[in-house]
Structure formats: structure tokens, C-alpha cells
Amino acid sequence: MAQNKDFIFADSMNDLPEKVSFAWKSPSNIALVKYWGKTDPQIPKNASISFTLSESYTKTTAHFTKKKQSGKSEISVTLGGEKMDSFVPKIAQFLERINVYTPYLSNYHVEIITENSFPHSSGIASSASGMSALALCVMSLEKVLKPSLSASFFKQKASFLARLGSGSACRSIEGELVVWGKHENVVGSSDLLGIKFSEKIDPVFHHYQDSILLIDKGEKVVSSTVGHNLMIDHPFAEQRFEQANQNLARLMSTLKNGDLDTFMSIVESEALTLHAMMLTSNPYFILMKPNTLKVIEKIWNYRKETGVPVCFTLDAGANVHVLYPKKWKAEVDQFIQSELVKYCQNNHVIQDQSGMGAVQLA
Ligand code: PMV
């Protein structure tokens, strides 16, 4: 099983290149069984599983320039063509955190040029796609220093590093489904990194559709750090962590046998439980908006009336992810256009689907 020490870079740093650049495109992901609650450093309290997305992604180019003299690394970040000084402390903290595993980075200034496929203030978190893209750029540098790195170690360490930037980012390296967190039914699962769910899944789950309804594009009300901390001393914490692990076991069976009814009930219950945790924490939060509830009710009515297997999930916010098999795309598109789009800010819907993970661009 993977251990922290496996990821410490202990090779020679004598021949560091003067200037190298790498670019990766890395997607966001949507959890089916949610991760909510952690211990330091980003160790999840329960196992989670997500679909890797394909249309919601970050493209990041990282330029590593060797320092002329020792001292602090200079970091600059440009997002969508705009200099983002406000992102620098977060990146600096990330690089500091991974330094024990990537000591070669101390020799470099880092210039990050990044863009998201989704609008910045869409309520879609860019931390999963952004941190995984950056972790992959770092691994590309490591590969130059150690060409014998295997492809599987490359991915594992990229996931390991991404996790230290933002927990769920470790689930964005590969696709179509990724498990993160130690679970007795998943061989090789680990709290330290995400692993591809490698069992044969029912074909109904390939290219699973995710139409993301942007109900509220505002800034997150509860930051991820604050949110996870709400689970410390939460009255229902232990039951919740246990339930999530049970739900993961049940969900894996449905992924293999194609039982969509059970799949949908687990996924919806997970979303509502995530929000129930926030409703019952101290301090408490309501992250759903009236339109979130209207959309959920419409989905339930539509499913009951038509039998179309469409369900929803939620992140820690008001937006609704409408999930359904690809073969129902035409019907669900029409349903969304006629009944749901009016509840979205500026009628904004992002059409996404499960995908295969990150790709190197340069
Ligand atoms: O990766 P973080 O720390 O932003 O936490 C993500 C938490 C949820 O999106 C709410 C659930 C999940 O498993 O992705």
C-alpha cells in the first residue's frame, strides 16, 4: 500500500535544466459518494468516488526557471490572461507543502499560466482541475530529472501531490471513475491518493451525462476548509463516515450490475446528506437556494412520470448536477430546456459527461 515515504524524491539534483515548460489539461470531477471531513494533511474521513468530467477543465502551463541564486522562489499566476496576485499565497502554500516530496522545486521560479473552460464565477470549483493540472506539470519536471519514472508512478504521485493542494483534486488525474480513501472492498485504495475504479462497469455508466445547472454563480458561502472543519465534533460525524463507506460498497455493486434505481437513490441521498451535515453543524449553513429545491422537485416529478432514469447530485453549493445515461440525452435535454433552464442564472447550463482524465498538452 502507498506510503508517504514512497513519494519522496531522493535522486540526484545535479543536472537541473535551466528552463523547462509543461502544459496539462485536467478536468474537474463530481463526487457520487462525498468526501466531507478530513484530518491533516488532507486525509479523508471516509472513502469517496467520483466521475471524472470532460468539458469542465483547467489548462495550465507551468514555466520552471532555474534560480540564479538561492532564496525564495518567485511565483506568478495568470488566469485567463489576467495576472492573479491573489492566487499566489495559495500556490506558495501548496509548493511549500509538497516540498518534502519535490525538493527540486526549491531551485526554480514558477510561472503559471492557466485558464478554465468554465466561467470563473460560475460556482464550479476550479480547485480540483487547477491543482491536478499543476501537480501534473510538477511531475513532468520530475520525469525530466528521473526519466525512468514509470507511467503508473507518475499518475500516483500526481494524484498524491494534487491531494495536498485540494483533497478532491486527487480524483481528477484519471477516469472514468476514481476512488479516494481506504476502503476494504477496493484493492489498492488509499487515503493518500485516488485510484481508478478498475472493475468492469455496466456500459450504461460509460459517458454518463452531467448537465450542470448554474443556479447561483456567487462565491462559495462556505470555503472548503471551513466546510471540512465543520465535521470536527459534528454530532453525526461518525455515523456519516460509516454511512459513506457503506454507500460506496453499495454503489460499486450498482456500477457493476447496472441497477440504475439503486444507483440514483444512493447518489441523491449522498447529495442531501452532504447538505444535511451543513444544516446540522455549528455554525450551520443553508447552501441550497429556492431554485435548487424547485429543480430537485421537477426532476423527481419528471422521473416519476416518464420513467427516464435521471437523478441529481450537489456540491457544497446551490448548483445542481443532473446525471443520466447517454442514451437519454435527447429527452433530458428537452426536459432541461423546457422545465429547468429557467431556474438557472442567465439560463446557464454546462453540458458535461464522464471522461478519461488529464492529458498532457506540451
Ligand atoms: O476538495 P475539497 O476540499 O474542495 O472538498 C470537496 C468536497 C465536495 O466537493 C463537497 C465533495 C467531494 O467529494 O468532492
Side-chain angles (χ1 to χ4, degrees):
M1 213 224 297
Q3 292 183 301
N4 287 310
K5 66 175 174 42
D6 301 340
F7 300 108
I8 295 175
F9 181 86
D11 290 74
S12 155
M13 292 196 274
N14 289 339
D15 271 333
L16 296 176
E18 286 303 317
K19 183 163 179 160
V20 274
S21 304
F22 307 99
W24 280 86
K25 171 179 160 185
S26 192
S28 185
N29 65 73
I30 180 68
L32 304 171
V33 172
K34 308 289 182 182
Y35 146 63
W36 198 240
K38 64 176 173 182
T39 52
D40 213 27
Q42 316 268 77
I43 299 297
K45 286 295 226 169
N46 60 261
S48 58
I49 187 168
S50 50
F51 269 129
T52 306
L53 295 177
S54 54
E55 304 308 320
S56 307
Y57 57 79
T58 298
K59 277 185 189 173
T60 295
T61 302
H63 300 289
F64 299 98
T65 310
K66 200 163 152 202
K67 289 181 196 168
K68 297 276 176 271
Q69 58 218 31
S70 61
K72 265 181 97 178
S73 296
E74 283 163 22
I75 298 169
S76 71
V77 184
T78 306
L79 171 69
E82 213 181 304
K83 204 110 188 322
M84 298 299 274
D85 291 339
S86 60
F87 284 17
V88 172
K90 194 164 183 204
I91 303 290
Q93 193 190 26
F94 169 61
L95 297 180
E96 175 104 25
R97 206 175 219 192
I98 64 172
N99 190 259
V100 48
Y101 307 105
T102 57
Y104 46 84
L105 281 178
S106 308
N107 297 290
Y108 286 96
H109 298 302
V110 188
E111 185 188 353
I112 296 165
I113 301 181
T114 189
E115 60 183 275
N116 297 326
S117 66
F118 44 89
H120 179 47
S121 54
S122 60
I124 299 196
S126 58
S127 56
S129 52
M131 284 299 177
S132 52
L134 181 55
L136 285 156
C137 290
V138 171
M139 282 311 294
S140 289
L141 171 58
E142 181 161 323
K143 174 98 181 141
V144 171
L145 307 182
K146 192 180 179 186
S148 63
L149 270 189
S150 72
S152 81
F153 181 83
F154 185 102
K155 281 187 206 153
Q156 280 180 26
K157 185 163 174 182
S159 175
F160 174 87
L161 296 178
R163 180 197 109 242
L164 291 169
S166 166
S168 59
C170 76
R171 296 188 312 234
S172 279
I173 308 294
E174 292 187 87
E176 224 171 345
L177 287 150
V178 175
V179 175
W180 169 39
K182 177 104 203 72
H183 192 283
E184 58 183 11
N185 297 16
V186 188
V187 179
S189 59
S190 165
D191 286 347
L192 302 182
L193 48 90
I195 62 161
K196 190 179 161 76
F197 181 66
S198 55
E199 297 200 47
K200 197 168 180 309
I201 61 170
D202 189 279
V204 77
F205 293 112
H206 289 308
H207 310 291
Y208 214 70
Q209 301 295 299
D210 180 3
S211 301
I212 311 168
L213 307 186
L214 302 181
I215 306 286
D216 184 59
K217 305 187 192 176
E219 284 287 308
K220 274 200 188 176
V221 180
V222 180
S223 76
S224 175
T225 313
V226 170
H228 289 287
N229 283 343
L230 294 174
M231 291 307 282
I232 300 171
D233 295 330
H234 191 292
F236 307 135
E238 287 315 313
Q239 292 97 315
R240 162 59 197 154
F241 302 142
E242 203 180 306
Q243 176 205 45
N245 286 328
Q246 283 165 6
N247 278 345
L248 179 52
R250 291 175 60 223
L251 192 87
M252 287 188 302
S253 301
T254 71
L255 290 169
K256 288 185 270 181
N257 67 21
D259 173 359
L260 278 174
D261 285 340
T262 309
F263 173 85
M264 293 190 293
S265 83
I266 297 169
V267 168
E268 291 189 343
S269 169
E270 273 291 315
L272 295 177
T273 303
L274 170 70
H275 283 256
M277 289 300 110
M278 275 174 273
L279 292 168
T280 50
S281 52
N282 180 14
Y284 42 76
F285 296 95
I286 303 180
L287 300 187
M288 290 187 266
K289 297 282 180 200
N291 282 353
T292 311
L293 296 176
K294 288 195 179 123
V295 162
I296 291 175
E297 203 177 357
K298 289 273 181 192
I299 291 172
W300 284 346
N301 287 340
Y302 176 77
R303 186 163 79 214
K304 200 160 161 209
E305 280 161 18
T306 63
V308 175
V310 48
C311 72
F312 70 87
T313 189
L314 308 166
D315 256 338
N319 295 336
V320 182
H321 291 246
V322 185
L323 301 176
Y324 50 98
K326 185 165 182 155
K327 84 171 220 204
W328 295 102
K329 184 163 173 34
E331 287 81 352
V332 179
D333 267 352
Q334 218 209 338
F335 162 57
I336 291 174
Q337 285 313 319
S338 63
E339 302 226 31
L340 303 185
V341 112
K342 56 175 175 270
Y343 298 114
C344 303
Q345 270 190 7
N346 310 325
N347 295 340
H348 201 159
V349 179
I350 296 176
Q351 292 295 351
D352 214 326
Q353 61 177 333
S354 57
M356 296 316 291
V359 285
Q360 184 162 15
L361 303 174

